[in-house]
Amino acid sequence: MTTAEKKIARLEVVEPKRLEFGKKWDYAPAPESTEHIKIQSRYELFIGGKFVSPKSGNYFKSINPATEEILTEVAEANEADVNLAVKAARTAYEKYWSKLPGSERAKYIFRIARQLQEKAREFAIIETMDGGKPIKESRDVDIPLAVAHFFYYAGWADKLDYAFPGRKTRPLGVAGQVIPWNFPLLMAAWKIAPALACGNTVVLKPAETTPLTALHLAQIIQEADLPPGVVNIVTGFGKTGAAIVNHPDVDKVAFTGSTEVGKIIQRAVAGTKKKLTLELGGKAANIVFDDAPIDQAIEGIINGIYFNQGHVCCAGSRLLVQESILDLVVRKLKDRIQTLRVGDPLDKNTDIGAINSSDQLKKIKELVQIGIDEGCKIHQSTCKLPERGFWFPPTFFTGVAQSNRIAQEEIFGPVLSILTFRTPEEAVEKANNTAYGLSAGVWTDKGSKIFKISSQLKAGVIWANTFNKFDPSSPFGGYKESGFGREGGLQGLMPYVQLI
Ligand code: NAP
Ligand code: MG
């Protein structure tokens, strides 16, 4: 056989395999090394600039959801610990922080940003181990955005007079902040950075399943030499969060989490002078018109719902497709989900990591079963899931009606519900037919259509020909049951100041 014949023979063997849809390239494992990562065997509460033991002496475990391995144990703060944290924050507010000029506050916040940036790789790995998200997301999205938030708000600290021309600002006092498990460090940055920039002090509670990056941030805050008590981090369960929210000496409550808990918090602060912002759930419509660039839209749909295992409040969890292109979109989506790599979150090639907890996995499975029972058609990747840990394959449903629960309720997992529409009016009506209003997406070739449709959508963030893009200078927040108040951008300063 000549060399050329050999080449053709080789191609004949290889090509059909390579072109076969659904067959993945065989990547060699590329796990991020964890050797240099120091996870302590125990973490204490960060109060008044020191790491202190909880009054109860109780600790709870934080596990790696991809392996079910126990990573460490973390202090459980009770009411007495929260009292101490609020007291430390009040003292720091009165003694130092509210008296410092903005330019001095900025120096501290810049210092946090720089130190976080220096340790970005370490934070990305810890985030992935504690929460299950793929390393490519914690490394390329969560940590850089958290750093960017600190840089961005450090820049505002001495420019508040320009943010609100003609007005003077005064800080509010002590901010009590409670955050969820889907973007642990990023949510901490969203909360802490604007609060500090505006001259407030902070008591923050991370979620029970993902406390580690907030506690490592506490170490950075200590190293950055912030006056003791300016930032306090208390770990624990829902009760700890409630103790912060209900504390009489807290001036401002900022909460990100479920609509259910958001409602409890709104009731709890009603009748008090506490200022409140709520960032809650969502059921975003991602609308694809027949003139959209289809392959780009498919990538946007994939990113919109399977990014971070669908643990995203603004996920594009309802796909509204123009009827004429439904078959094409469904066929392309079927092919594409089959190529998504589900598995070890520390592997650099992984697209979909572990579900954050067994409780969350149970909720996803229940809602998927409801979708099947209500007669919707399920399409699922046949990928092999790891034996240990919490996993769910990329999934979507067709034949979904607006009344189906999977079209109404937040699944908060890698599960997409596909509905169809014929006219732009029908698309808008269906998109707005939800109790939520956090985000939406529009895919079309026509700029004028984008403007027309997006002005009619009742959602806080609307992406056009893209999805799930964030920037510290863009405000983020919802309408209706997705909450109120904005985080990010100039608007994100507003909840932390009093205008005089
Ligand atoms: P969650 O149960 O509402 O918990 C959020 C935080 O609140 C956690 O730190 C939680 O502590 C704490 N908490 C629980 N009960 C509380 C109470 N009664 N008082 C005060 N704090 C309390 O929500 P999740 O399950 O962690 O997160 C998923 C939900 O968050 C989804 O619905 C998602 O849409 C929403 N979310 C919204 C945004 C947004 O920006 N709009 C962003 C991320 C997530 P424990 O961890 O100990 O339960
Ligand atoms: Mg964990």
Side-chain angles (χ1 to χ4, degrees):
M1 214 188 268
T2 65
T3 317
E5 278 168 347
K6 272 189 201 156
K7 204 171 162 194
I8 289 167
R10 253 203 328 267
L11 275 179
E12 275 170 0
V13 178
V14 175
E15 282 298 322
K17 251 198 195 162
R18 280 172 52 184
L19 292 176
E20 196 182 325
F21 264 121
K23 270 260 185 257
K24 285 172 231 172
W25 288 91
D26 278 334
Y27 287 81
E32 182 74 48
S33 163
T34 56
E35 271 163 27
H36 57 297
I37 300 299
K38 290 190 201 85
I39 293 183
Q40 298 166 201
S41 56
R42 170 181 274 197
Y43 287 82
E44 306 289 0
L45 306 171
F46 184 60
I47 298 178
K50 294 197 188 87
F51 288 94
V52 297
S53 310
K55 293 284 173 222
S56 65
N58 292 342
Y59 292 82
F60 61 95
K61 312 246 181 304
S62 192
I63 65 161
N64 179 342
T67 58
E68 296 177 57
E69 185 192 334
I70 295 168
L71 291 173
T72 183
E73 59 175 23
V74 178
E76 182 189 340
N78 63 15
E79 243 175 72
D81 301 300
V82 170
N83 283 343
L84 284 179
V86 174
K87 207 166 159 199
R90 173 63 55 193
T91 309
Y93 176 73
E94 274 160 15
K95 260 179 135 171
Y96 324 106
W97 203 245
S98 62
K99 298 210 170 111
L100 273 187
S103 54
E104 289 302 309
R105 292 199 304 272
K107 286 183 194 165
Y108 285 108
I109 309 169
F110 274 126
R111 208 178 288 165
I112 297 173
R114 281 195 304 269
Q115 298 207 18
L116 198 54
Q117 196 170 38
E118 252 173 46
K119 296 187 175 167
R121 188 54 65 98
E122 180 185 330
F123 270 81
I125 295 169
I126 297 175
E127 198 73 303
T128 285
M129 289 172 81
D130 201 18
K133 63 174 63 195
I135 187 75
K136 71 175 174 195
E137 275 165 25
S138 47
R139 183 195 62 203
D140 300 344
V141 182
D142 292 61
I143 311 302
L145 270 176
V147 171
H149 258 82
F150 279 108
F151 274 121
Y152 177 78
Y153 281 109
W156 273 120
D158 62 348
K159 301 177 195 71
L160 297 176
D161 290 350
Y162 301 97
F164 305 101
R167 309 288 295 269
K168 287 271 168 230
T169 63
R170 219 184 264 154
L172 301 173
V174 176
Q177 309 179 318
V178 180
I179 56 173
W181 44 260
N182 56 349
F183 291 91
L185 184 74
L186 184 58
M187 288 300 119
W190 279 25
K191 298 277 179 287
I192 296 174
L196 297 189
C198 294
N200 305 278
T201 56
V202 165
V203 178
L204 174 114
K205 187 198 99 67
E208 69 196 59
T209 57
T210 54
L212 292 194
T213 45
L215 291 163
H216 280 251
L217 177 66
Q219 291 170 359
I220 283 190
I221 286 168
Q222 199 180 39
E223 287 162 21
D225 228 4
L226 254 78
V230 170
V231 176
N232 304 276
I233 295 182
V234 289
T235 39
F237 303 103
K239 268 201 296 193
T240 313
I244 297 175
V245 168
N246 295 325
H247 198 289
D249 205 25
V250 162
D251 302 289
K252 143 100 200 146
V253 172
F255 172 77
T256 297
S258 59
T259 297
E260 190 191 342
V261 174
K263 286 181 180 172
I264 297 174
I265 292 179
Q266 192 164 13
R267 275 197 290 274
V269 304
T272 71
K273 283 190 186 156
K274 290 172 194 171
K275 231 177 159 175
L276 176 66
T277 40
L278 296 175
E279 301 277 5
L280 309 173
K283 192 74 188 174
N286 204 359
I287 307 171
V288 182
F289 286 96
D290 59 5
D291 60 357
I294 295 297
D295 288 331
Q296 259 169 271
I298 296 296
E299 287 314 300
I301 296 162
I302 294 285
N303 179 36
I305 184 64
Y306 302 121
F307 167 61
N308 200 26
Q309 297 73 250
H311 296 338
V312 185
C313 47
C314 52
S317 52
R318 279 184 305 152
L319 177 65
L320 301 189
V321 186
Q322 197 149 17
E323 214 172 73
S324 50
I325 54 164
L326 177 70
D327 291 347
L328 177 67
V329 168
V330 168
R331 180 171 63 71
K332 283 184 180 267
L333 272 178
K334 264 193 204 165
D335 289 342
R336 186 67 180 93
I337 61 168
Q338 194 61 36
T339 64
L340 292 172
R341 311 181 71 82
V342 184
D344 181 8
L346 279 168
D347 194 302
K348 292 162 198 137
N349 295 318
T350 293
D351 298 307
I352 299 191
I355 300 301
N356 184 266
S357 63
S358 59
D359 277 356
Q360 188 57 32
L361 181 58
K362 200 165 143 241
K363 280 188 207 159
I364 295 170
K365 285 183 173 167
E366 273 168 17
L367 268 160
V368 165
Q369 192 54 49
I370 287 168
I372 296 168
D373 294 346
E374 288 188 353
C376 307
K377 184 163 183 227
I378 187 167
H379 308 261
Q380 211 161 37
S381 161
T382 55
C383 63
K384 197 166 171 287
L385 300 177
E387 273 165 24
R388 295 205 65 182
F390 316 126
W391 307 94
F392 201 81
T395 300
F396 68 86
F397 280 100
T398 49
V400 181
Q402 293 189 80
S403 55
N404 289 134
R405 282 182 61 188
I406 56 166
Q408 293 292 335
E409 294 176 31
E410 198 177 29
I411 303 175
F412 224 57
V415 183
L416 176 68
S417 303
I418 304 184
L419 296 98
T420 57
F421 67 89
R422 288 186 183 165
T423 61
E425 293 71 31
E426 192 187 347
V428 170
E429 199 186 309
K430 284 190 169 166
N432 288 338
N433 182 16
T434 164
Y436 297 109
L438 193 56
S439 65
V442 184
W443 296 83
T444 166
D445 198 26
K446 308 262 179 316
S448 56
K449 210 191 261 177
I450 290 172
F451 285 115
K452 181 150 189 220
I453 299 290
S454 52
S455 65
Q456 295 169 352
L457 292 173
K458 294 196 184 83
V461 183
I462 298 165
W463 287 287
N465 292 335
T466 187
F467 211 91
N468 272 343
K469 291 280 180 278
F470 305 93
D471 187 276
S473 61
S474 302
F476 182 90
Y479 287 90
K480 302 195 274 184
E481 292 203 7
S482 293
F484 48 80
R486 295 292 177 262
E487 291 183 300
L490 172 63
Q491 292 81 352
L493 296 165
M494 197 62 176
Y496 289 98
V497 292
Q498 216 184 328
L499 292 182
I500 42 176

